[in-house]
Amino acid sequence: MAGAGGGGCPAGGNDFQWCFSQVKGAIDEDVAEADIISTVEFNYSGDLLATGDKGGRVVIFQREQENKSRPHSRGEYNVYSTFQSHEPEFDYLKSLEIEEKINKIRWLPQQNAAHFLLSTNDKTIKLWKISERDKRAEGYNLKDEDGRLRDPFRITALRVPILKPMDLMVEASPRRIFANAHTYHINSISVNSDHETYLSADDLRINLWHLEITDRSFNIVDIKPANMEELTEVITAAEFHPHQCNVFVYSSSKGTIRLCDMRSSALCDRHSKFFEEPEDPSSRSFFSEIISSISDVKFSHSGRYMMSRDYLSVKVWDLNMESRPLETHQVHEYLRSKLCSLYENDCIFDKFECCWNGSDSAIMTGSYNNFFRMFDRDTRRDVTLEASRESSKPRASLKPRKVCTGGKRKKDEISVDSLDFNKKILHTAWHPADSVIAVAATNNLYIFQGKIN
Amino acid sequence: MSQKQEEENPAEETGEEKQDTQEKEGILPERAEEAKLKAKYPSLGQKPGGSDFLMKRLQKGQKYFDSGDYNMAKAKMKNKQLPSAGPDKSLVTGDHIPTPQDLPQRKSSLVTSKLAGGQVE
């Protein structure tokens, strides 16, 4: 699979390989909870890569420009800016502890020299402006170069301050704070294609905001039942359509996706389209509903398809066909016979994300044991790769991994019982145009680049 | 090419490792797992994935500490120690009055992320 946005699978005839590029973060075994990465997102050009962590911090990496004197550093991501986005809070009225963990980061399309992103924790969304400063004024009249005020009576001549270059400084400042609009925990934010509005979704409600207005938002979906005893499902993810500014989707804990059109009514409690794969009632078990819960939903770049991630699979849907998905890709079907223990250790509730490559020809999602899976939609091939320090030699290509389910374990295979369920890859991101992926493995960020040998 | 019910039929091969007999009996592993779970927890509700899970999810972050209750209980007990929550500190509620020691500590000072090369202070 060649070319920009190409992804895919080394198993194909062409010699496309994913190679280790960089890893960020501490090596030591003792992982502080605050260092656990909770979201990863490329901006629209792919030049910036943002991460958020459980400690409420955002770190932004910038891709280096091509440099003839250092050819190997081409395309490397280095720290551009870092700031504390959210802090822990306590709601005394409700006796509720509010985590500072960054649930999602979404970039705004760039409109001027500065970069803007939205970051959110469980309750509050913030708009951050990241700007560069590489000049400063010198030659003020009323103060010295070190800032001390000059005695006005000693000033005998006036001068015009001039701009002098200085070392690049990247500043992050909160421009808007969108607070107090969510009773439940925010799981998604999504910027609209109109670049003026965005939505935020919690377990039971979805709100529409204008980026300029912080003191009010419109409620567009409300699934809270009059009697909470009747609660049967919650909202798990929501996203705006990439081109149609009136369309958005939201997924539920029952494995359904609803597409809503804001033109039809102000309150979109009634969906325009309802996507659900019919279930065979005879195969229903205690776990059926839990593993059908959708943890992530993403539109394709084209806007023709969308992808949903449930516990064991990724499904690609055609927006024109509600009855069943177009494709179903098994992520780790071998876990079906481990559901009892996965329920006991709560892993069955893990929320995996998924992403498309730039051309929508491939999709990626994470698994356990620091494995992540890629599916090439064109060649119908898939591969399992691992983010580990062992395969982290510069430009070393990643070897496909295999999990063995049966009795006989081949060399290089790993058995299901040896998988480390604490090493979860929940967050991955794909560069919007190039063959570059970012994989968050607990407290480490891996960057891999694709090459054709 | 869409996928049929994965529990019923062998999964369409997309380069996946072949699971042979295990796949054909796809329906059984899940039921076997369910039986295992019911054997361990016989009182597990009949309604799978129902309100209990959702309510727990919605109540994430809830801490129960009433300074009034705490001080009154302390006054009554005088010299005696108030019973502590025990090992499961996440559910500090019910017939026990939470004490400050039971509630998880607030996080300490904020340092720069290690992804940005921050040092541990």
mmCIF file of all heavy atoms in Angstrom, chain B residues 83-107:
data_model
loop_
_atom_site.group_PDB
_atom_site.id
_atom_site.type_symbol
_atom_site.label_atom_id
_atom_site.label_comp_id
_atom_site.label_asym_id
_atom_site.label_seq_id
_atom_site.Cartn_x
_atom_site.Cartn_y
_atom_site.Cartn_z
ATOM 1 N N PRO B 83 -14.729 3.320 63.311
ATOM 2 C CA PRO B 83 -14.339 2.191 62.425
ATOM 3 C C PRO B 83 -13.982 2.719 61.037
ATOM 4 O O PRO B 83 -14.625 3.629 60.530
ATOM 5 C CB PRO B 83 -15.594 1.325 62.367
ATOM 6 C CG PRO B 83 -16.709 2.238 62.737
ATOM 7 C CD PRO B 83 -16.158 3.277 63.636
ATOM 8 N N SER B 84 -12.941 2.148 60.484
ATOM 9 C CA SER B 84 -12.530 2.631 59.156
ATOM 10 C C SER B 84 -13.186 1.796 58.072
ATOM 11 O O SER B 84 -13.791 0.765 58.340
ATOM 12 C CB SER B 84 -11.012 2.587 59.015
ATOM 13 O OG SER B 84 -10.597 1.250 59.021
ATOM 14 N N ALA B 85 -13.056 2.239 56.889
ATOM 15 C CA ALA B 85 -13.790 1.627 55.784
ATOM 16 C C ALA B 85 -13.324 0.225 55.441
ATOM 17 O O ALA B 85 -14.049 -0.565 54.891
ATOM 18 C CB ALA B 85 -13.666 2.506 54.530
ATOM 19 N N GLY B 86 -12.079 -0.087 55.794
ATOM 20 C CA GLY B 86 -11.582 -1.402 55.377
ATOM 21 C C GLY B 86 -10.896 -1.312 54.032
ATOM 22 O O GLY B 86 -10.659 -0.233 53.513
ATOM 23 N N PRO B 87 -10.564 -2.449 53.481
ATOM 24 C CA PRO B 87 -9.741 -2.444 52.259
ATOM 25 C C PRO B 87 -10.401 -1.782 51.057
ATOM 26 O O PRO B 87 -9.738 -1.140 50.279
ATOM 27 C CB PRO B 87 -9.475 -3.925 51.983
ATOM 28 C CG PRO B 87 -10.395 -4.686 52.864
ATOM 29 C CD PRO B 87 -10.816 -3.796 53.972
ATOM 30 N N ASP B 88 -11.700 -1.909 50.906
ATOM 31 C CA ASP B 88 -12.335 -1.356 49.717
ATOM 32 C C ASP B 88 -12.705 0.100 49.954
ATOM 33 O O ASP B 88 -13.824 0.431 50.337
ATOM 34 C CB ASP B 88 -13.588 -2.169 49.365
ATOM 35 C CG ASP B 88 -14.206 -1.660 48.071
ATOM 36 O OD1 ASP B 88 -13.554 -0.837 47.377
ATOM 37 O OD2 ASP B 88 -15.330 -2.061 47.767
ATOM 38 N N LYS B 89 -11.761 0.987 49.719
ATOM 39 C CA LYS B 89 -11.994 2.387 50.045
ATOM 40 C C LYS B 89 -12.790 3.114 48.970
ATOM 41 O O LYS B 89 -13.131 4.266 49.110
ATOM 42 C CB LYS B 89 -10.651 3.095 50.245
ATOM 43 C CG LYS B 89 -9.914 2.553 51.437
ATOM 44 C CD LYS B 89 -8.976 3.562 52.069
ATOM 45 C CE LYS B 89 -8.433 3.015 53.368
ATOM 46 N NZ LYS B 89 -7.150 3.611 53.727
ATOM 47 N N SER B 90 -13.038 2.424 47.873
ATOM 48 C CA SER B 90 -13.729 3.124 46.807
ATOM 49 C C SER B 90 -15.221 3.284 47.102
ATOM 50 O O SER B 90 -15.876 4.155 46.582
ATOM 51 C CB SER B 90 -13.538 2.383 45.489
ATOM 52 O OG SER B 90 -13.989 1.058 45.637
ATOM 53 N N LEU B 91 -15.751 2.421 47.938
ATOM 54 C CA LEU B 91 -17.173 2.526 48.242
ATOM 55 C C LEU B 91 -17.343 2.900 49.708
ATOM 56 O O LEU B 91 -17.599 2.047 50.548
ATOM 57 C CB LEU B 91 -17.879 1.194 47.952
ATOM 58 C CG LEU B 91 -17.999 0.857 46.462
ATOM 59 C CD1 LEU B 91 -18.462 -0.555 46.280
ATOM 60 C CD2 LEU B 91 -18.921 1.833 45.762
ATOM 61 N N VAL B 92 -17.151 4.195 49.976
ATOM 62 C CA VAL B 92 -17.243 4.636 51.364
ATOM 63 C C VAL B 92 -18.633 5.161 51.608
ATOM 64 O O VAL B 92 -18.906 6.340 51.473
ATOM 65 C CB VAL B 92 -16.177 5.731 51.630
ATOM 66 C CG1 VAL B 92 -16.217 6.154 53.072
ATOM 67 C CG2 VAL B 92 -14.806 5.198 51.266
ATOM 68 N N THR B 93 -19.531 4.270 51.866
ATOM 69 C CA THR B 93 -20.908 4.700 52.083
ATOM 70 C C THR B 93 -21.639 3.583 52.791
ATOM 71 O O THR B 93 -21.041 2.592 53.176
ATOM 72 C CB THR B 93 -21.570 5.041 50.734
ATOM 73 O OG1 THR B 93 -22.869 5.541 50.990
ATOM 74 C CG2 THR B 93 -21.688 3.810 49.856
ATOM 75 N N GLY B 94 -22.927 3.780 53.001
ATOM 76 C CA GLY B 94 -23.692 2.710 53.653
ATOM 77 C C GLY B 94 -23.766 2.936 55.143
ATOM 78 O O GLY B 94 -23.998 4.046 55.608
ATOM 79 N N ASP B 95 -23.527 1.885 55.922
ATOM 80 C CA ASP B 95 -23.723 2.036 57.356
ATOM 81 C C ASP B 95 -22.468 2.464 58.096
ATOM 82 O O ASP B 95 -22.379 2.379 59.309
ATOM 83 C CB ASP B 95 -24.289 0.737 57.957
ATOM 84 C CG ASP B 95 -23.659 -0.476 57.314
ATOM 85 O OD1 ASP B 95 -22.503 -0.376 56.854
ATOM 86 O OD2 ASP B 95 -24.322 -1.505 57.244
ATOM 87 N N HIS B 96 -21.524 2.921 57.339
ATOM 88 C CA HIS B 96 -20.301 3.392 57.987
ATOM 89 C C HIS B 96 -20.120 4.869 57.684
ATOM 90 O O HIS B 96 -20.379 5.317 56.578
ATOM 91 C CB HIS B 96 -19.124 2.566 57.463
ATOM 92 C CG HIS B 96 -17.857 3.345 57.405
ATOM 93 N ND1 HIS B 96 -17.140 3.671 58.518
ATOM 94 C CD2 HIS B 96 -17.187 3.890 56.377
ATOM 95 C CE1 HIS B 96 -16.068 4.371 58.168
ATOM 96 N NE2 HIS B 96 -16.081 4.509 56.880
ATOM 97 N N ILE B 97 -19.717 5.614 58.691
ATOM 98 C CA ILE B 97 -19.507 7.049 58.456
ATOM 99 C C ILE B 97 -18.076 7.261 57.976
ATOM 100 O O ILE B 97 -17.128 6.891 58.667
ATOM 101 C CB ILE B 97 -19.759 7.843 59.746
ATOM 102 C CG1 ILE B 97 -21.261 7.767 60.084
ATOM 103 C CG2 ILE B 97 -19.343 9.297 59.574
ATOM 104 C CD1 ILE B 97 -21.590 8.256 61.460
ATOM 105 N N PRO B 98 -17.921 7.847 56.804
ATOM 106 C CA PRO B 98 -16.577 8.034 56.256
ATOM 107 C C PRO B 98 -15.743 8.944 57.152
ATOM 108 O O PRO B 98 -16.260 9.849 57.779
ATOM 109 C CB PRO B 98 -16.815 8.713 54.917
ATOM 110 C CG PRO B 98 -18.258 8.556 54.629
ATOM 111 C CD PRO B 98 -18.950 8.395 55.932
ATOM 112 N N THR B 99 -14.488 8.672 57.227
ATOM 113 C CA THR B 99 -13.567 9.536 57.953
ATOM 114 C C THR B 99 -12.603 10.148 56.952
ATOM 115 O O THR B 99 -12.443 9.627 55.857
ATOM 116 C CB THR B 99 -12.761 8.716 58.978
ATOM 117 O OG1 THR B 99 -11.983 7.753 58.269
ATOM 118 C CG2 THR B 99 -13.688 8.003 59.948
ATOM 119 N N PRO B 100 -11.963 11.236 57.321
ATOM 120 C CA PRO B 100 -11.026 11.868 56.377
ATOM 121 C C PRO B 100 -9.963 10.899 55.891
ATOM 122 O O PRO B 100 -9.510 10.990 54.757
ATOM 123 C CB PRO B 100 -10.402 13.004 57.188
ATOM 124 C CG PRO B 100 -11.404 13.320 58.231
ATOM 125 C CD PRO B 100 -12.089 12.038 58.554
ATOM 126 N N GLN B 101 -9.578 9.935 56.761
ATOM 127 C CA GLN B 101 -8.536 9.003 56.337
ATOM 128 C C GLN B 101 -9.031 8.083 55.232
ATOM 129 O O GLN B 101 -8.246 7.569 54.459
ATOM 130 C CB GLN B 101 -8.066 8.116 57.508
ATOM 131 C CG GLN B 101 -7.512 8.876 58.690
ATOM 132 C CD GLN B 101 -8.587 9.195 59.710
ATOM 133 O OE1 GLN B 101 -9.438 10.035 59.463
ATOM 134 N NE2 GLN B 101 -8.547 8.521 60.849
ATOM 135 N N ASP B 102 -10.341 7.848 55.165
ATOM 136 C CA ASP B 102 -10.876 6.921 54.182
ATOM 137 C C ASP B 102 -10.876 7.501 52.782
ATOM 138 O O ASP B 102 -10.836 6.783 51.807
ATOM 139 C CB ASP B 102 -12.326 6.539 54.514
ATOM 140 C CG ASP B 102 -12.399 5.793 55.830
ATOM 141 O OD1 ASP B 102 -11.365 5.202 56.211
ATOM 142 O OD2 ASP B 102 -13.462 5.808 56.447
ATOM 143 N N LEU B 103 -11.014 8.820 52.704
ATOM 144 C CA LEU B 103 -11.122 9.416 51.383
ATOM 145 C C LEU B 103 -9.744 9.478 50.738
ATOM 146 O O LEU B 103 -8.777 9.805 51.395
ATOM 147 C CB LEU B 103 -11.711 10.821 51.497
ATOM 148 C CG LEU B 103 -13.135 10.859 52.059
ATOM 149 C CD1 LEU B 103 -13.568 12.287 52.285
ATOM 150 C CD2 LEU B 103 -14.098 10.160 51.116
ATOM 151 N N PRO B 104 -9.692 9.171 49.448
ATOM 152 C CA PRO B 104 -8.391 9.214 48.764
ATOM 153 C C PRO B 104 -7.787 10.612 48.841
ATOM 154 O O PRO B 104 -8.508 11.596 48.800
ATOM 155 C CB PRO B 104 -8.717 8.867 47.319
ATOM 156 C CG PRO B 104 -10.096 8.334 47.332
ATOM 157 C CD PRO B 104 -10.777 8.823 48.558
ATOM 158 N N GLN B 105 -6.493 10.647 48.968
ATOM 159 C CA GLN B 105 -5.816 11.935 49.082
ATOM 160 C C GLN B 105 -5.900 12.713 47.791
ATOM 161 O O GLN B 105 -5.907 12.139 46.717
ATOM 162 C CB GLN B 105 -4.327 11.707 49.434
ATOM 163 C CG GLN B 105 -4.125 11.145 50.816
ATOM 164 C CD GLN B 105 -4.749 12.002 51.887
ATOM 165 O OE1 GLN B 105 -4.527 13.206 51.943
ATOM 166 N NE2 GLN B 105 -5.548 11.398 52.752
ATOM 167 N N ARG B 106 -5.952 14.001 47.901
ATOM 168 C CA ARG B 106 -5.890 14.837 46.710
ATOM 169 C C ARG B 106 -4.477 14.761 46.152
ATOM 170 O O ARG B 106 -3.528 14.490 46.868
ATOM 171 C CB ARG B 106 -6.228 16.293 47.060
ATOM 172 C CG ARG B 106 -7.617 16.500 47.588
ATOM 173 C CD ARG B 106 -8.687 16.017 46.641
ATOM 174 N NE ARG B 106 -8.588 16.585 45.316
ATOM 175 C CZ ARG B 106 -8.965 17.807 45.009
ATOM 176 N NH1 ARG B 106 -9.458 18.612 45.919
ATOM 177 N NH2 ARG B 106 -8.858 18.238 43.765
ATOM 178 N N LYS B 107 -4.373 15.034 44.859
ATOM 179 C CA LYS B 107 -3.064 14.912 44.231
ATOM 180 C C LYS B 107 -2.107 15.992 44.740
ATOM 181 O O LYS B 107 -2.526 17.074 45.106
ATOM 182 C CB LYS B 107 -3.191 15.061 42.719
ATOM 183 C CG LYS B 107 -3.661 13.802 42.040
ATOM 184 C CD LYS B 107 -5.143 13.813 41.850
ATOM 185 C CE LYS B 107 -5.603 12.561 41.118
ATOM 186 N NZ LYS B 107 -7.052 12.577 40.941
#
